[in-house]
């Protein structure tokens, strides 16, 4: 037998094996594709924090959290680190569907719960509820022009473009409720807009069995790094709801709200990182500046203005810093002639020791001058926290999770604020007396 | 060097690469297989609707939905399009397990919630609960003969073979509860049967601390397109439950229920599509014709008969139609000598404009003649709805979801029905006065 | 053309196809890998039981379950088979994250619910709540020495090393709550330890608005098959909570709890299988022996000791047996001078008929001698159960699930125990009179 003949034989053999490989691979490609598609059709996302909080007498601490100060009822929060006593979870179950022509549907259910009890079986405390339930369509072949990259949604949701200062547990705007809207309408090369209508419930007038709802129309514009968001709202019959006997008032039926913000992609021009600065203002129902249109207990001519700025950067090897400042003045808010002023400053620092460990420091200061027409109080709130922190990875910076932390905090405030409450209700909870050390063991994660 | 030697060298090289490819591919095949299996072991399915509803005074509309008319309390629904004010979700978490010999276990948890509030954080309104919790075994190698393709289940569930008129939000039969059963027993070539026992709870007699339960035995037969379903039920002590003082009555302890239906695979012989027609009847506890055995407040000699027919077809290029008709007569239902008659007709039309957009129309008419022994009322209910609708895909027809819709409806009814209630309870809610326009923004999906 | 030239041509062709195969396979390998990773990042696990229970008068049976006897309130359970009337589910949603250097984060949400109603829509009965919510970090590159294989966690959870006698629905220890801890510290070659702090809530003193919490510090040691677990606990102000007026008492503020156990990897040295034997004892708050630190209603000098042993083996072809014994003596438990003694024996047998069917038998006997200072009672509780059982697979033995079962049981007890309650509260529920047959249809699964 010649070499050529042998080669032919072998070659036929190799060719057969290649044929087989090709057909097996084609099948496996399909299978891998199908598996990936199947996995992609379902998404699981979440946020959670859960921990133990104790005061220095080893009693469980109640009424704490970032909104623990007297001004907390007005939306004035302090640094959250080491103050949280709750078990809060958001579990998102997402279903994706993609058609052959590339159109996409995104459906989300958000289950959420927040309880204080440390016990594992707690149905009586359970606050489990569905916070979001909506569908969003995108990449519709039918959309073109300014709408080419737009997506459209309906249902109950948190608005996509809400943003927050994580460290003080406060959104800048938290637009949420039930409605419909369109994102990313390209009005010009540098102008993108979202429009939406959201409904909120303020309660029921039993005699007429009507729901009092608030309808909020919003246009949210982005011009490069600048954001201008305008909202108008109308709640028929809101002035006819039974008012709290402790604070009879002429409730607002309408409102206007505006946000102007600058979203910087560096830390105030000084270093890498980010910084965001802006101002919010509103009248009537619009004077609830964070949760737009969510508060029905506002006076007819309530008015408020709020300033904020915050950012984060690395300021040395293995050191990170995230300062924030928020301040608000509001008047005629719940009753004619009430007046509330507060300013809240917070700094979080992280000192990185290795890929899994850092020490986190937080200092909070808040000044408040509060006049609910019946009582007046002014003074300051202070908090310092030290938190040795384990992370899955310190590489991702401030916003990398999960974290497991031990935190020790000291909180105190001016005596003038002891037992003061913004609310006029006789059973309103107050912040009690200051001067307390708090110990926390907590996990926090998101994904 | 000769060409043959060179060829040999190259060939050895190619063979080595082929060897490597074969072993890599074998590994990848396993991995793709494992990934696909892993993905298949978990399934996520759901149904959801969520939206905003407003009347023409921009107040939230309460008490609406497909069962809003006076006869709604009897199970008489009207077209649902544009009337729904709730946020309803069913989230199914499924675990599959398959043994090496091919036996299969299917386990389902259904979480469900339904609230009216448009607010995103609503634990006080939350109705989140577990509606289904069952396991089904199939392909057991041990099963043979008539049972060869049978599956067997136990737990809490909706019966597999329930079916509904989606457009009027009404099941034809909705058998559900806790029990056990066998599906798909092949009794002859053309006869397949399911048998089951379901338990339902009617409440508690506190003095004796006994649960009053209703046990329902059902045989559900299919002979080709024909279905004959027979149910008998028995609820010991149901006549000893405290009766509503407004309607003292001798409650039934037993009942019989029958359904005869024809499941057509075309639209009444006229065109492609489907149509289903049938009649239900029952006595005693069986006179609740839809939710078999679910109503304990029925009179000892209650009797009822119901007729239904519905279907769907394309009747022109880009036009679809889905008519339905349901009618019921019941007597001695809650009290001796009460009598209730109603007939409900509904038509939904869809006009397709492009792959993502259609306009949907719905017209509903309902006639009712109601005598609860204390009051009598007869008259009609009308509704028309127009709903521009965005779909991920219009190709799938009436039942393709998700849909995002805006709907405007006008509803009205005879003055004689104003404020009439089937219930004799003094605080029974009524339908109020008619003549109202309703505006809806809603999403609906299932998968 | 020579054979060599032809071979060269073909060879170039084959080589091209191999090149293509290699590049396609590389892509597919990545895709299969990604799909597998994506699937692995989410895990769904669960436990569930759901079924129908009826007594011989076809009334729903209430107040049953493994803790139905008079001593049940003390943690004395009997064999569960055929007694369960509830729909209990644990649905675990798990998110895994692995970093490039191999560090791992494991996050778990456990949703749980337990209701008695057989109805499918039961929001008013719903007990849906979040029982676990924690994060665990492991394989941290930073950990070394004794901590090299340690994992660390924080949040709300069931302790990882809890263990139970499944057949009597009782954990040996059930440590759970909110806290933090470290698992698997290797203190010497044969000594592994876990340390943890857990917090529990006992209620609120409204006047001072303080939470009464119990803090439990535990070290749980394993020396080969031996386990020594020591817990100390302290609950400030627990003696100041309002006491049940029916049983005024000096509540404990502190407690100590110890468990010594032997985990055998065979059936008492007799055959294959397993067996576990041990003793638990505690004083003060530690005298709740199962749910460590979970009971705040314990007397200042309460004391208790409990013995347990259980195991499982195959004792003949197609026969399995699982006996268990538990006994406890406690004194000064709720009030000075109360005294409670009980012993509970249970045997479950399974006779395997084929890969999907077995008949399960269970016999339970419990002796109790109970003195709550106001009333005394002693006597016995008996139960026998026969349960034809369908399984997906009988190969996995006692612990293979799912199972679908029909069970008929007969339960009876000494007349002296009729209507006896351990609790002194006037409205305490009692076990009523004995001598009852119970019928059950139930599914049970875990995965």
């Amino acid at each position: 037998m010649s070499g050529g003949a042998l080669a032919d034989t072998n070659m036929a053999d190799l060719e057969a094996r290649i044929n087989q490989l090709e057909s097996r691979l084609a099948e496996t490609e399909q299978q891998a594709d199908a598996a990936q598609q199947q996995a992609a059709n379902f998404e699981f996302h979440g946020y959670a924090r859960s921990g133990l909080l104790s005061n220095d007498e080893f009693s469980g601490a109640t009424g704490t959290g970032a909104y623990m100060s007297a001004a907390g009822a007005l939306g004035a929060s302090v640094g959250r680190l080491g103050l949280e006593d709750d078990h809060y979870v958001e579990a998102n179950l997402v279903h994706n569907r993609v058609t052959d022509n590339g159109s996409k549907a995104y459906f989300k259910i958000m289950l959420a719960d927040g309880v204080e009890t440390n016990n594992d079986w707690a149905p009586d405390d359970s606050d489990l509820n569905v916070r979001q339930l909506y569908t969003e369509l995108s990449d519709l072949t039918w959309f073109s022009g300014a709408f080419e990259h737009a997506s459209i949604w309906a249902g109950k949701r948190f608005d996509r473009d809400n943003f927050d200062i994580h460290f003080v547990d406060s959104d800048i705007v938290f637009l949420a409720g039930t409605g419909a809207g369109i994102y990313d309408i390209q009005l010009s090369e540098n102008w993108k807009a979202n429009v939406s209508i959201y409904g909120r419930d303020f309660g029921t007038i039993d005699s007429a069995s009507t729901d009092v709802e608030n309808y909020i129309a919003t246009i949210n514009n982005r011009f490069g790094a600048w954001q201008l968001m305008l909202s108008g709202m109308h709640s028929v019959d809101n002035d006819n709801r039974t008012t709290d006997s402790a604070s009879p008032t002429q409730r607002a039926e309408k409102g206007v709200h505006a946000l102007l913000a600058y979203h910087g992609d560096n830390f105030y021009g000084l270093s890498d990182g980010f910084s965001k600065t802006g101002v919010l203002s509103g009248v009537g129902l619009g004077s609830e500046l964070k949760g737009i249109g969510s508060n029905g207990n506002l006076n007819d001519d309530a008015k408020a203005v709020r300033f904020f700025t915050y950012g984060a950067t690395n300021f040395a090897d293995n050191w990170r810093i995230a300062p924030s400042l928020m301040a608000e003045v509001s008047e005629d808010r719940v009753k004619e002639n009430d007046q509330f002023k507060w300013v809240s400053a917070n700094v979080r620092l992280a000192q990185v020791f290795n890929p899994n460990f850092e020490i986190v420091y937080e200092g909070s200061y808040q000044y408040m001058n509060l006049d609910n027409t019946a009582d007046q109080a002014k003074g300051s709130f202070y908090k310092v926290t030290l938190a040795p922190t384990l992370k899955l990875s310190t590489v991702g910076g401030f916003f990398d999770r999960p974290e497991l932390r031990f935190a020790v905090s000291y909180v105190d405030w001016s005596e003038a604020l002891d037992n003061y409450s913004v609310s006029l209700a006789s059973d309103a909870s107050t912040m009690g007396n200051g001067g307390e050390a708090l110990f926390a063991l907590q996990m926090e994660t998101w994904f």
Side-chain angles (χ1 to χ4, degrees), chain A:
Chain A
M1 203 179 180
S2 77
L6 187 65
D8 284 355
T9 310
N10 287 352
M11 198 135 38
D13 185 48
L14 291 190
E15 194 171 359
R17 289 171 66 188
I18 289 174
N19 286 342
Q20 216 192 1
L21 273 169
E22 284 173 340
S23 85
R24 277 170 61 192
L25 182 55
E27 210 173 296
T28 306
E29 281 170 341
Q30 278 190 354
Q31 201 176 10
D33 211 52
Q36 203 170 33
Q37 190 54 53
Q38 218 171 336
N41 284 348
F42 172 72
E43 295 175 41
F44 175 51
H45 299 288
Y47 168 81
R49 62 177 178 264
S50 173
L52 199 58
L53 189 71
S54 168
N55 62 19
D56 45 13
E57 292 170 333
F58 292 99
S59 289
T62 58
T64 50
Y67 294 85
M68 69 178 289
S69 79
L74 301 164
S77 59
V78 298
R80 73 200 300 175
L81 190 67
L83 295 185
E84 290 169 330
D85 194 24
D86 63 341
H87 308 263
Y88 180 76
V89 56
E90 294 175 350
N92 297 294
L93 304 174
V94 170
H95 177 73
N96 292 301
R97 187 181 151 209
V98 182
T99 61
D100 289 341
N101 68 13
S103 297
K104 289 177 190 153
Y106 177 94
F107 168 67
K108 180 188 273 193
I109 301 171
M110 177 191 274
L111 298 175
D113 185 39
V115 300
E116 284 218 9
T117 179
N118 293 311
N119 298 342
D120 61 293
W121 175 253
D124 294 340
D125 295 76
S126 177
D127 274 351
L128 207 55
N129 71 113
V130 177
R131 288 197 80 177
Q132 297 193 69
L133 188 65
Y134 71 90
T135 296
E136 190 166 319
L137 301 180
S138 63
D139 298 278
L140 300 186
T141 52
W142 173 53
F143 277 7
S144 62
F147 291 88
E148 190 174 354
H149 301 293
S151 55
I152 184 162
W153 62 272
K156 183 181 280 196
R157 73 174 296 170
F158 302 172
D159 196 70
R160 186 194 71 182
D161 289 351
N162 293 338
F163 60 107
D164 72 323
I165 310 180
H166 172 72
F167 309 109
V168 298
D169 192 19
S170 178
D171 283 74
I172 299 304
V173 286
F174 182 69
L175 178 61
T178 303
I182 307 182
Y183 288 119
D184 299 329
I185 310 168
Q186 195 80 43
L187 292 172
S188 75
E189 203 189 313
N190 290 311
W191 179 13
K192 244 191 212 181
N194 311 330
V195 295
S196 62
I197 291 176
Y198 278 93
R200 300 279 313 184
D201 279 29
F202 285 166
T204 306
I205 300 174
D206 291 327
S207 60
S209 72
T210 48
D211 273 359
V212 177
E213 301 195 343
N214 186 22
Y215 298 99
I216 309 147
T218 295
I219 178 163
N220 192 355
N221 305 282
R222 284 293 291 259
F223 310 91
W226 288 92
Q227 177 184 10
L228 177 64
M229 183 181 188
L230 300 169
S231 305
M233 61 206 78
H234 189 186
S235 177
V236 174
D237 284 333
N238 189 42
D239 57 346
N240 292 328
R241 282 192 304 131
T242 314
T243 50
D244 186 356
S245 60
S247 60
T249 179
Q250 176 70 18
R251 285 206 177 103
E253 285 208 322
K254 297 189 180 176
V256 173
H257 178 282
L259 159 73
L260 178 69
Y262 182 83
H263 297 259
D265 59 0
N266 57 52
F267 186 72
Y268 299 107
L270 301 172
S271 57
D272 285 349
F274 76 90
S275 57
K276 293 170 189 266
T277 303
V279 63
L280 303 106
S281 67
V283 295
L285 290 172
S287 59
E288 160 62 46
L289 295 177
K290 180 175 73 171
I292 302 175
S294 67
N295 186 352
N297 300 322
L298 292 167
N299 189 35
D300 202 23
D301 55 352
K303 40 198 158 295
V305 62
R306 184 184 284 197
F307 169 81
F308 70 88
T309 185
Y310 66 103
T313 193
N314 298 328
F315 73 95
D317 271 8
N318 300 324
W319 281 91
R320 296 190 297 266
I321 187 167
S324 73
L325 184 82
M326 220 192 266
E328 187 184 271
V329 179
S330 59
E331 283 180 8
D332 308 321
R333 187 185 182 101
V334 183
K335 288 190 77 154
E336 290 296 320
N337 300 318
D338 61 16
Q339 195 182 52
F340 304 103
K341 296 177 191 168
W342 55 265
V343 54
S344 237
N346 190 67
V347 178
R348 191 176 286 198
L349 287 165
Q351 182 181 11
V352 182
F353 287 85
N354 66 44
N356 299 116
F357 184 71
E358 59 193 39
I359 294 184
V360 182
Y361 310 85
E362 191 171 76
S364 287
Y365 171 78
Q366 186 177 73
Y367 172 78
M368 60 207 95
N369 185 337
L370 311 171
D371 178 357
N372 64 16
T373 70
D375 285 300
Q376 259 186 286
K378 60 183 167 186
S380 300
F381 171 99
Y382 316 85
K383 190 203 72 153
V384 289
T385 302
L386 176 110
T389 302
L390 270 169
K391 298 183 80 147
L392 181 65
S393 164
T394 53
V395 178
F398 269 127
F399 300 99
D400 200 299
R401 293 292 181 280
E403 288 186 356
L404 309 185
R405 54 176 80 110
F406 169 69
V408 52
S409 305
Y410 186 77
V411 294
D412 200 3
W413 51 83
S414 311
E415 264 180 50
L417 295 170
D418 287 356
N419 299 311
Y420 183 84
S421 174
V422 161
S423 167
L424 290 164
S426 55
D427 61 345
S429 67
T430 71
M431 67 198 296
N433 302 321
E436 191 173 44
L438 292 169
F439 304 95
L441 282 170
Q442 194 193 35
M443 76 90 186
E444 186 177 52
T445 193
W446 57 63
F447 56 89

